Amino acid sequence: MRRIPSVKRSVRFPVSATLLRRLALASIIANVGIVVTGGAVRLTASGLGCPTWPRCTDDSYVPTDEMGVHGVIEFGNRTLTFAVGIIAFATLLAVLAHRPRRRGVLPLAVAVFFGIPAQAVVGGLTVLTNLNPWVVGLHFLASMAVIAAAYALWRRTAEPDGPAVTAVPAPLRALAQLTTAVSVAVLVIGTWVTGSGPHAGDQGAARNGLDPESISQVHADSVFLLLGLSVAMVFAFRAVGADRAARAALLLVAVELGQGLIGFVQYFTHLPAVLVGAHMLGSCLVLLATLHVQWSTRERLPASATTAPAPERDAVPSVPTPA
């Protein structure tokens, strides 16, 4: 009897690398967007527009007419969480359908997908604690963590699956890691400043008790430290011929200067809501620019590569590092 050749199973709806990368980018944009809309909830004093969670009221999942515009704004932000989750779910499905399956991409897609409901739960806790400023700050930082995972996913979709190698000397990679740590510290201290300021999200919400002027000075000092480290990276990377890393560091400096300008103007103009919202968007951009620098200090070789390629003239020799 004639034997029928076996046929490998294939994905019925294959996903191209281009589509996968676009979905990963859309996930970044969506998560940044929900940070901005979440800021709009707080800046319009709509933080308790829906006074409970997960329902909007004790008897309804949607706002009632009596709740007015604040209820609509708060409920609208909650609804956007589902849109962000749908994009993350589509990205996860795309990762599963893409062939060949990319090493290290699936865990990142899973982290983004499950990070969104986790962030939503923290958002629910902010409502249940009557906008406790420490919980509100945690809600913002949870969103930053999801954005970082989404960025890592986006970058990973464009990389080969070979070993990671450094593109700069080890001391300069350590400088980039230190800068990343300071950038995270700036974000954390920024939530303390917000928790001491006037935009509580509701007129009856408590403040964290920190002196606004003193904690703003601490925040400004941390920003100056971050800017100094970033400028140092520009010159250090250029000195060793790491042009790609130098360009990334220069972009970070530009974003920091823009964010710093917004911060100083909003402070001396008594925190107008529009500038505070712009500053929240700027925080996301600072994080993304910082991660861009971090990624520029290393690269991945093709999966088939057994040895590192010979360095080009004036290039920094590549040294294998952990993935």
Side-chain angles (χ1 to χ4, degrees), residues 84-107:
V84 177
I86 290 171
I87 294 174
F89 184 60
T91 305
L92 177 58
L93 292 180
V95 168
L96 292 171
H98 181 66
R99 293 294 184 274
R101 180 72 58 80
R102 303 297 311 285
R103 184 169 64 89
V105 174
L106 181 57

Side-chain angles (χ1 to χ4, degrees), residues 73-277:
I73 293 174
E74 164 65 4
F75 181 74
N77 187 63
R78 294 187 184 188
T79 304
L80 285 176
T81 301
F82 291 98
V84 177
I86 290 171
I87 294 174
F89 184 60
T91 305
L92 177 58
L93 292 180
V95 168
L96 292 171
H98 181 66
R99 293 294 184 274
R101 180 72 58 80
R102 303 297 311 285
R103 184 169 64 89
V105 174
L106 181 57
L108 289 170
V110 171
V112 174
F113 177 66
F114 284 101
I116 292 169
Q119 183 261 14
V121 170
V122 179
L125 291 176
T126 65
V127 174
L128 297 178
T129 58
N130 294 318
L131 304 183
N132 180 290
W134 300 107
V135 182
V136 172
L138 181 62
H139 185 41
F140 173 78
L141 295 175
S143 295
M144 295 293 104
V146 176
I147 290 173
Y151 180 83
L153 172 62
W154 177 65
R155 290 299 298 258
R156 190 70 188 86
T157 58
E159 293 181 327
D161 287 332
V165 298
T166 58
V168 299
L172 297 190
R173 180 127 196 231
L175 175 61
Q177 292 169 343
L178 174 61
T179 304
T180 300
V182 173
S183 181
V184 172
V186 168
L187 292 175
V188 173
I189 297 172
T191 65
W192 301 348
V193 176
T194 298
S196 69
H199 298 293
D202 186 81
Q203 294 181 352
R207 302 284 72 204
N208 60 21
L210 299 176
D211 178 62
E213 184 174 350
S214 298
I215 196 60
S216 294
Q217 184 61 57
V218 173
H219 183 55
D221 292 341
S222 66
V223 170
F224 284 130
L225 174 59
L226 176 61
L227 182 59
L229 291 171
S230 302
V231 172
M233 285 196 301
V234 173
F235 288 101
F237 291 152
R238 284 183 173 175
V240 299
D243 293 335
R244 184 168 67 98
R247 288 193 297 269
L250 186 61
L251 175 62
L252 175 60
V253 170
V255 173
E256 289 168 350
L257 289 174
Q259 174 75 335
L261 177 62
I262 294 173
F264 277 110
V265 172
Q266 73 169 5
Y267 180 79
F268 289 109
T269 55
H270 307 291
L271 304 176
V274 173
L275 289 182
V276 174

Side-chain angles (χ1 to χ4, degrees), residues 63-69:
T64 61
D65 293 339
E66 293 78 9
M67 300 170 70
V69 67

